[in-house]
Amino acid sequence: MLPKISITDRTQELENLVLVVSSLKALPNGVFTASEMSFIRRQHKELKKDIISYNRLENWTYVYVIKEEKSEYKRLEASRKAGKKVGEMLNSQKAAKVVVFDHDNHPAETLAFAEGMALGNYQFLKYKADKEKKNTLRKIEIYSETVNDELVGSQQSAVGSHFMNIVNDAVFQCRDLINEPASYLTATVFSKEVEKLGKECGAKVEVMNKKKLEVLQMGGILGVNQGSHEPPTFTVMEWKPADAVNKKPIVFVGKGIVFDSGGMNLKPGDSMLNMKDDMSGAAAAAMAVYAIAKAELPVYVVGLMPATDNRPGTKAIVPGDVLKMHNGMTVEVLNTDAEGRLILADALSYARKYKPELVIDMATLTGAAVRAIGKFACAGMESGAPEELLELTESGFKTSERIVELPMWEEYGELIKSEVADLKNIGPGDAGTITAGKFLEKFTDYPYIHLDIAGPAFLDKADSYRGIGGTGFGVRLLFDYVLKRIIKE
Ligand code: BES
Ligand code: ZN
Ligand code: ZN
């Protein structure tokens, strides 16, 4: 369960307490006895611990000494990770509540600490009978002179507790969607979930069914869906507040392959194992719109989520097939496992009707991106949006949902020209992430950023507050990006 972060104006005796300090010199007088102080000093100096804990009967006190890092980004991430660690210790004590005391005025680090603690509390227990291991932490109170429930400061600092709760909740729900197996989360169920979310946050949701996609001649989505027993959907989520600072929307497009078997080019061996995660982009796009709407940010945003599974049914597309896409272009399918770009191509063509100021897509698109960058960042490419990608990259460092840029040079586009159609859906093997990006670019005519999140979207092994399974990568990144827009205006 998501622990709620709130602001308190007092600390009490006899409760779990975390003191966030930049050095031990800053520890308050009177709180610790002389022997406690010497214990804390020894733990920090000799044993090099930056989290020191001790208990007084029922309650625990933790001292977190903020790591000295030159960059603010690293300090924030170290604080999130420390928060996760302390959260784990509190859960092992079956604690429900903790007060985090921003002792010497480090609001951003204190909030990051609370954020890591909250995000690290995630569990996916829906299918477990044994709920014994359920985390107990429910409430994180921040005691601070500067942190409040609204925005803190401007650019450099973090969001206040109100926005943080909204975004954390969106991340949890994003992880839930990703972790749901395909047996439950079909394209239709995904759309229904987004409809529910829309009602909750005030965003308008429209679900286009198979018939509608046929009318729109979305050959990419329909083609990938041919091998499935489940119909495809295309969900549109719109947040258009009356006081929006932008007339043209920022559009988020997310790859919604609810399961990727590879289709007729069936994935071999273990490579199919985590393919329920192939809708992580769609989940992140929906949850980013949800968070922005819940926070009532005055920014016009739209989410476009094409969804289907990719299966080798008898009607499935086969290598050599040619599909006619929504924008009229034709694509020769040389590998049915390169399906993400086929459904995204239709969604990106469809995005043109919004005359968007910017389109950002998120997709678990290529294994090549995982091999190149691993789990610690996504690959980013831009077309006509260099400034926007810089801004987004900065948000990436701030939220630790990082972006590594790859080029979109002309030459790579040559590699996906087909002999029989306008394009083919795979390149020669090298630079697979870039040729996939180039393929998508062909369906855009607006400022465009492509994020290949195949690496960071899903983890086999926990990485601190990003546990096993879906991470929710993209939600915090996009929220921060959109928030920066309005702070700057
Ligand atoms: N969904 C996969 C990409 C993927 C791989 C995501 C590993 C997460 C982890 C995508 O649809 C795919 O299968 N891509 C192929 C493309 C190839 C056939 C050109 C790939 O990367 O092997
Ligand atoms: Zn695939
Ligand atoms: Zn895929």
Side-chain angles (χ1 to χ4, degrees):
M1 252 218 325
L2 178 68
K4 186 150 191 249
I5 302 171
S6 58
I7 308 297
T8 178
D9 55 6
R10 65 203 175 112
T11 62
Q12 285 175 321
E13 291 264 332
L14 302 178
E15 62 186 356
N16 298 310
L17 180 70
V18 183
L19 279 147
V20 178
V21 294
S22 52
S23 97
L24 289 188
K25 284 194 205 91
L27 279 179
N29 281 331
V31 173
F32 302 100
T33 64
S35 57
E36 283 168 349
M37 267 322 292
S38 74
F39 168 77
I40 291 169
R41 269 201 201 97
R42 200 175 83 81
Q43 293 274 309
H44 184 59
K45 288 241 164 66
E46 283 174 32
L47 302 176
K48 307 260 177 280
K49 288 194 176 174
D50 50 15
I51 298 168
I52 302 125
S53 64
Y54 71 92
N55 83 312
R56 289 169 167 170
L57 298 176
E58 280 296 320
N59 296 289
W60 286 77
T61 299
Y62 305 87
V63 177
Y64 166 50
V65 189
I66 299 170
K67 250 210 187 120
E68 266 186 53
E69 295 275 10
K70 284 217 178 70
S71 99
E72 175 176 31
Y73 304 135
K74 285 190 185 168
R75 238 169 25 240
L76 292 180
E77 182 65 353
S79 299
R80 285 184 202 104
K81 289 184 174 173
K84 155 70 185 174
K85 269 195 201 152
V86 172
E88 230 167 63
M89 295 188 238
L90 287 162
N91 275 314
S92 73
Q93 297 297 328
K94 301 233 172 291
K97 186 189 150 188
V98 65
V99 175
V100 181
F101 181 9
D102 174 17
H103 177 260
D104 46 348
N105 209 6
H106 287 86
E109 287 81 359
T110 303
L111 265 165
F113 184 93
E115 181 181 33
M117 188 181 266
L119 290 174
N121 211 52
Y122 177 83
Q123 292 171 296
F124 186 65
L125 297 174
K126 181 174 165 191
Y127 296 99
K128 273 184 175 289
D130 173 18
K131 304 267 195 297
E132 254 304 279
K133 293 219 168 78
K134 195 166 174 180
N135 287 336
T136 51
L137 191 64
R138 293 285 172 273
K139 233 172 154 352
I140 303 168
E141 291 188 349
I142 296 178
Y143 177 62
S144 165
E145 267 175 34
T146 38
V147 179
N148 59 33
D149 56 7
E150 295 299 331
L151 278 178
V152 183
S154 61
Q155 304 258 13
Q156 281 306 305
S157 54
V159 292
S161 66
H162 175 61
F163 284 173
M164 191 168 271
N165 283 321
I166 290 173
V167 178
N168 287 347
D169 171 51
V171 171
F172 270 41
Q173 295 201 56
C174 186
R175 290 175 179 177
D176 279 347
L177 286 170
I178 298 167
N179 292 333
E180 278 289 358
S183 57
Y184 169 79
L185 200 90
T186 60
T188 305
V189 171
F190 173 80
S191 295
K192 290 214 166 105
E193 297 279 342
V194 178
E195 274 178 333
K196 262 193 262 165
L197 292 166
K199 286 209 179 85
E200 227 184 275
C201 71
K204 194 175 110 196
V205 174
E206 186 202 349
V207 179
M208 299 196 278
N209 61 16
K210 185 172 174 183
K211 272 222 175 78
K212 180 82 203 229
L213 302 182
E214 281 164 358
V215 172
L216 292 172
Q217 301 185 49
M218 295 208 171
I221 304 173
L222 292 164
V224 173
N225 180 254
Q226 264 172 228
S228 174
H229 54 291
E230 285 282 339
T233 62
F234 188 131
T235 310
V236 181
M237 192 178 189
E238 189 175 80
W239 168 246
K240 191 178 185 180
D243 56 348
V245 294
N246 53 336
K247 284 222 165 59
K248 299 163 156 191
I250 302 174
V251 176
F252 306 144
V253 176
K255 171 178 174 182
I257 294 292
V258 294
F259 187 76
D260 184 10
S261 71
M264 291 304 265
N265 292 97
L266 201 64
K267 284 185 181 291
D270 281 354
S271 61
M272 208 190 292
L273 264 187
N274 293 330
M275 283 301 135
K276 66 175 183 181
D277 82 340
D278 215 16
M279 36 58 72
S280 298
M287 294 321 308
V289 176
Y290 174 86
I292 290 161
K294 267 241 149 145
E296 297 187 60
L297 300 188
V299 183
Y300 178 20
V301 292
V302 174
L304 300 179
M305 288 80 69
T308 174
D309 47 357
N310 181 25
R311 290 195 200 237
T314 45
K315 292 185 181 157
I317 47 172
V318 295
D321 281 358
V322 175
L323 302 175
K324 188 155 185 208
M325 315 297 276
H326 177 58
N327 72 346
M329 281 170 76
T330 55
V331 175
E332 184 187 13
V333 178
L334 290 179
N335 190 318
T336 63
D337 197 11
E339 83 298 337
R341 64 199 76 180
L342 299 174
I343 70 165
L344 288 169
D346 281 342
L348 291 169
S349 305
Y350 188 76
R352 292 159 84 152
K353 82 168 206 180
Y354 292 94
K355 303 201 175 4
E357 82 169 46
L358 173 68
V359 174
I360 303 174
D361 86 58
M362 291 175 292
T364 45
L365 205 62
T366 64
V370 192
R371 284 191 292 280
I373 305 167
K375 298 279 177 189
F376 301 125
C378 72
M381 282 152 258
E382 59 81 18
S383 172
E387 298 288 318
E388 290 86 344
L389 182 55
L390 276 179
E391 285 282 325
L392 192 65
T393 301
E394 199 213 10
S395 288
F397 282 117
K398 201 162 124 197
T399 56
S400 222
E401 295 193 338
R402 288 171 295 200
I403 301 169
V404 176
E405 188 179 359
L406 295 178
M408 278 271 214
W409 297 323
E410 274 304 314
E411 292 84 344
Y412 293 101
E414 298 296 316
L415 304 176
I416 48 169
K417 285 192 173 150
S418 159
E419 295 294 324
V420 301
D422 299 330
L423 289 173
K424 53 185 179 186
N425 80 330
I426 53 167
D430 292 348
T433 304
I434 303 176
T435 50
K438 275 313 264 189
F439 180 94
L440 297 177
E441 188 196 27
K442 305 276 182 201
F443 298 86
T444 67
D445 67 350
Y446 38 66
Y448 170 55
I449 294 174
H450 163 55
L451 301 178
D452 190 332
I453 62 169
F458 194 94
L459 302 178
D460 281 323
K461 210 173 103 241
D463 172 24
S464 180
Y465 61 92
R466 289 168 284 255
I468 287 183
T471 58
F473 186 99
V475 178
R476 291 166 55 242
L477 172 71
L478 292 184
F479 188 88
D480 186 78
Y481 177 74
V482 168
L483 188 64
K484 251 188 338 200
R485 287 280 187 109
I486 55 170
I487 291 174
K488 256 203 240 155
E489 295 279 330

